[in-house]
Amino acid sequence: MTDKFEDILKKKLEDYSLEPFKKDWEIIERRMGLSAKKKKFEYFKFVAAAIIIGILLSGILFILRNNDITELIFYDQSIVGANEENSLLRSLMEIYADIDLPQKEKDRLNANGLFFDNTAINFYPADIEEIGNEDINDSIRRIVDNLPNGRNNPFIPQVRQSVKKSKYTNWSLGLFADGNIGGNGNTGNISGNYLLATRSAITAVNMANNSIPKVENFNYNHKMPLSAGLMVRRSLNEKWGVETGLTYTLLVSKASSGSNIDYTKKQSAHYIGVPVAVTYTIVRKKNLEFYSHAGIEMNFNVRTHIKHDFNHSLYVAPFTENYNANNVQWSAAANIGLMYNINPVLGIYFEPGYSHFFTNDKQPETYWQEHPDNFNMRIGFRTNF
Amino acid sequence: MLGVCYRYVNDLETAHDLMHDGFITVFTKIGDYRNEGSFEGWMRRVFVTTALGYLRKYKLYIESKNNDFSLPNMKDNDPSVLEKISEQELIRLIKSLPNGYRTILNLYTIEGYSHREIAEMLHISEGTSRFRYARAKALLNKRLVEHR
């Protein structure tokens, strides 16, 4: 070929132009607006998440600080001598020194003569002093054990059981994992060349370019949903409480062609859920707690990823597509729960339950659409404040 | 710019989509233009890059294995056929070329990229770029002869 050939080709093609449609500018305008809105929304989501996390952390810290003092100890000074009293009280003060009380609280205690002072006679008045935890009580017992023989009993600081809080705690935080009892879904058959996510025909672009094989039938299988999450529970009284939190669910589906073309699709749908539930404690005995709860959950499809994989010389290489439903998948659930308290702070729980997912045609085709009613088992840890 | 996009893809609908993407990129990245070279040239590069991104995403410049067509003797080429053919007809013939050949023909002949630059852009070797360009020209010549 000659350079002249290239020159002519360049001249002819360089000048080649096509007139855009009027709707092109409308589409660009709309997409520009949407992308600006989307950015704004993403920023809003980030700020909202930061605020929620901030409130949660502040709440937890506030609760933890105010729970440094949980039990009540009395000391009857009338039955001890001055020296022994001072010795014991000095030891007790060493324990108190380990408690990181807020300054405001220290001031209050000082004002009431509750902090150790050699000159203070009314060291422990009728008022009460609250101190830390089981370790501190153990320390007090050890101090008392070291006192002269025969003098132990009168000196034992007494834990005032009558004002000790009941076994239920106001707040608890749970971390769980969840799976369906029934395991994976059934194997079924769908006709036509469909994306699992949209239930609509493959995009015109891909069809026009012969990017993908045209397959009439697919065998599909929805895998067992897997969830994990963080739940916060607020006890309203001995029996009733409310619960909310954040959950993440992964729904995987696979489809393979029934024809001789080796064509597979793998869909991964990611959901973030916000459950709201009411809890009712049926029995609480020693370290065991038997309860039930029921509520609703909003599930947001944050991303659905579909991977097309085929091996055929007439078509181009595999590709992936992303999709997300812009509406909410609602569900209702009822569970019973059994929690074993490993210690006063931490418990392990098992919650078998039933869920119903309401029909929603705009959601991706997943296990939830195939099995709107299903049984699941949740296992987790819960910490009490 | 619609014409630029249309030279790289098979159908007009995709060309329109790429033009939308290209204009959105131009509007959002206009701050990146540094007055080096003409603005039209910068815009053109944006649209070519957008089209290449599409081809790369769907690996459309990777050809199927069935390219064992016979090529005419290149010495028999007559540029006068090219001179006489209309732009519309020429576009139609270029569109009949396989994606990979058409892409390199566009990049080398129209946009003026070197084979080294094309190799970097398409993640292929420089030799592959030269080979495909030669095949593209030969095949286009064959189509021109047939058209005559």
Side-chain angles (χ1 to χ4, degrees):
Chain A
M1 290 246 179
T2 61
D3 286 340
K4 194 178 176 190
F5 185 87
E6 286 174 3
D7 290 344
I8 298 167
L9 194 63
K10 182 178 170 72
K11 190 173 184 313
K12 278 186 176 276
L13 292 181
E14 211 170 31
D15 296 339
Y16 176 73
S17 65
L18 282 170
E19 197 64 32
F21 302 147
K22 191 184 170 189
K23 70 171 185 180
D24 283 324
W25 304 113
E26 290 167 3
I27 291 169
I28 291 168
E29 197 177 340
R30 194 168 64 241
R31 282 184 57 190
M32 291 288 290
L34 279 177
S35 64
K37 273 183 191 169
K38 196 179 172 187
K39 273 185 186 171
K40 202 181 275 184
F41 183 60
E42 280 170 0
Y43 176 73
F44 171 75
K45 277 197 291 189
F46 176 77
V47 171
I51 290 170
I52 289 168
I53 290 168
I55 290 171
L56 278 174
L57 285 176
S58 307
I60 289 167
L61 285 173
F62 177 79
I63 291 161
L64 288 175
R65 282 184 74 85
N66 285 278
N67 275 276
D68 281 342
I69 301 167
T70 55
E71 300 211 346
L72 308 171
I73 291 184
F74 274 89
Y75 171 68
D76 185 351
Q77 71 167 63
S78 65
I79 55 177
V80 296
N83 290 335
E84 289 163 340
E85 180 188 55
N86 285 347
S87 171
L88 172 62
L89 296 179
R90 202 169 286 117
S91 300
L92 285 172
M93 277 311 300
E94 286 171 8
I95 298 164
Y96 288 132
D98 290 331
I99 303 171
D100 183 22
L101 288 173
Q103 188 58 44
K104 192 178 169 187
E105 189 64 16
K106 283 180 182 170
D107 292 342
R108 189 183 71 80
L109 293 172
N110 275 323
N112 287 285
L114 293 173
F115 264 104
F116 180 71
D117 182 346
N118 281 329
T119 62
I121 301 300
N122 296 320
F123 186 82
Y124 272 84
D127 201 352
I128 54 171
E129 177 61 72
E130 300 179 341
I131 64 170
N133 51 36
E134 291 297 326
D135 291 340
I136 291 172
N137 286 332
D138 287 341
S139 300
I140 292 169
R141 285 189 196 98
R142 279 199 298 277
I143 292 164
V144 172
D145 288 341
N146 289 330
L147 287 171
N149 288 337
R151 304 294 301 274
N152 296 11
N153 290 342
F155 296 96
I156 295 175
Q158 297 167 24
V159 176
R160 198 167 85 170
Q161 298 291 341
S162 59
V163 290
K164 188 180 176 186
K165 288 175 183 172
S166 60
K167 286 177 183 174
Y168 89 91
T169 51
N170 279 337
W171 289 91
S172 62
L173 189 69
L175 189 66
F176 72 89
D178 189 327
N180 270 58
I181 293 172
N184 295 334
N186 302 324
T187 298
N189 185 266
I190 47 175
S191 61
N193 209 350
Y194 287 86
L195 290 177
L196 281 169
T198 57
R199 301 189 201 182
S200 58
I202 285 173
T203 54
V205 171
N206 295 321
M207 293 293 276
N209 284 320
N210 288 328
S211 307
I212 48 177
K214 294 174 181 59
V215 173
E216 292 303 320
N217 287 291
F218 282 94
N219 296 318
Y220 70 89
N221 177 234
H222 297 301
K223 302 294 177 190
M224 179 179 78
L226 294 172
S227 298
L230 196 66
M231 303 294 290
V232 181
R233 179 183 292 185
R234 168 81 166 124
S235 297
L236 302 173
N237 55 41
E238 287 271 358
K239 292 286 186 187
W240 292 95
V242 289
E243 194 173 61
T244 186
L246 274 180
T247 65
Y248 164 77
T249 304
L250 172 65
L251 294 153
V252 175
S253 305
K254 289 183 177 175
S256 57
S257 63
S259 69
N260 56 355
I261 297 175
D262 185 11
Y263 184 169
T264 58
K265 303 175 195 177
K266 183 183 176 188
Q267 174 182 282
S268 305
H270 305 269
Y271 280 85
I272 295 291
V274 181
V276 180
V278 177
T279 66
Y280 179 76
T281 302
I282 300 163
V283 175
R284 186 181 283 117
K285 201 168 185 180
K286 290 186 178 177
N287 292 331
L288 286 175
E289 192 178 325
F290 185 53
Y291 57 92
S292 65
H293 66 91
I296 55 168
E297 182 165 350
M298 290 178 288
N299 285 286
F300 301 93
N301 177 218
V302 289
R303 188 166 180 260
T304 300
H305 178 82
I306 310 120
K307 185 180 177 190
H308 298 255
D309 204 345
F310 35 79
N311 181 19
H312 196 279
S313 61
L314 292 178
Y315 303 101
V316 295
F319 66 97
T320 57
E321 290 194 34
N322 293 313
Y323 166 83
N324 67 305
N326 290 321
N327 66 352
V328 180
Q329 171 67 62
W330 289 90
S331 67
N335 297 57
I336 53 169
L338 181 66
M339 184 164 95
Y340 173 73
N341 287 307
I342 300 164
N343 59 45
V345 179
L346 187 68
I348 182 170
Y349 67 91
F350 304 88
E351 287 179 2
Y354 161 81
S355 304
H356 175 77
F357 290 85
F358 297 98
T359 306
N360 188 333
D361 286 341
K362 290 179 180 172
Q363 291 293 320
E365 193 72 45
T366 63
Y367 187 97
W368 288 345
Q369 267 64 43
E370 187 187 53
H371 297 278
D373 297 288
N374 56 72
F375 292 93
N376 58 310
M377 170 64 94
R378 182 171 288 189
I379 299 170
F381 290 94
R382 186 173 288 135
T383 180
N384 302 310
F385 302 117
Chain B
M1 291 304 159
L2 181 60
V4 172
C5 296
Y6 189 48
R7 278 196 279 106
Y8 285 86
V9 293
N10 278 322
D11 64 302
L12 196 56
E13 191 183 348
T14 306
H16 277 274
D17 288 343
L18 292 175
M19 186 188 69
H20 302 156
D21 292 344
F23 270 115
I24 288 167
T25 308
V26 167
F27 294 144
T28 53
K29 305 273 182 188
I30 200 155
D32 294 352
Y33 172 59
R34 302 195 185 286
N35 293 320
E36 295 164 0
S38 71
F39 181 69
E40 190 200 347
W42 178 78
M43 255 182 85
R44 201 181 182 90
R45 275 200 299 282
V46 169
F47 282 85
V48 170
T49 307
T50 305
L52 290 181
Y54 169 81
L55 296 172
R56 195 179 298 118
K57 183 179 178 185
Y58 296 112
K59 295 190 167 45
L60 293 178
Y61 55 80
I62 295 174
E63 295 311 315
S64 63
K65 295 157 191 171
N66 305 325
N67 285 335
D68 53 343
F69 44 78
S70 60
L71 294 174
N73 185 346
M74 293 184 194
K75 288 176 185 171
D76 294 339
N77 176 53
D78 179 7
S80 62
V81 182
L82 191 58
E83 276 178 333
K84 287 173 190 165
I85 194 170
S86 70
E87 282 179 6
Q88 205 61 42
E89 279 298 300
L90 182 58
I91 284 288
R92 193 181 63 77
L93 292 181
I94 286 176
K95 289 210 160 293
S96 72
L97 299 177
N99 286 319
Y101 292 180
R102 187 179 62 232
T103 305
I104 291 171
L105 189 77
N106 272 319
L107 289 172
Y108 186 83
T109 312
I110 319 299
E111 320 299 348
Y113 289 107
S114 69
H115 284 299
R116 179 179 289 180
E117 289 169 324
I118 293 169
E120 283 173 9
M121 290 159 89
L122 299 183
H123 303 141
I124 57 176
S125 71
E126 203 176 323
T128 304
S129 177
R130 286 180 192 284
F131 172 76
R132 287 189 185 174
Y133 178 64
R135 300 272 292 182
K137 275 205 300 186
L139 189 57
L140 180 60
N141 183 43
K142 183 185 174 191
R143 300 273 156 86
L144 282 166
V145 171
E146 287 166 358
H147 179 263
R148 183 172 56 179

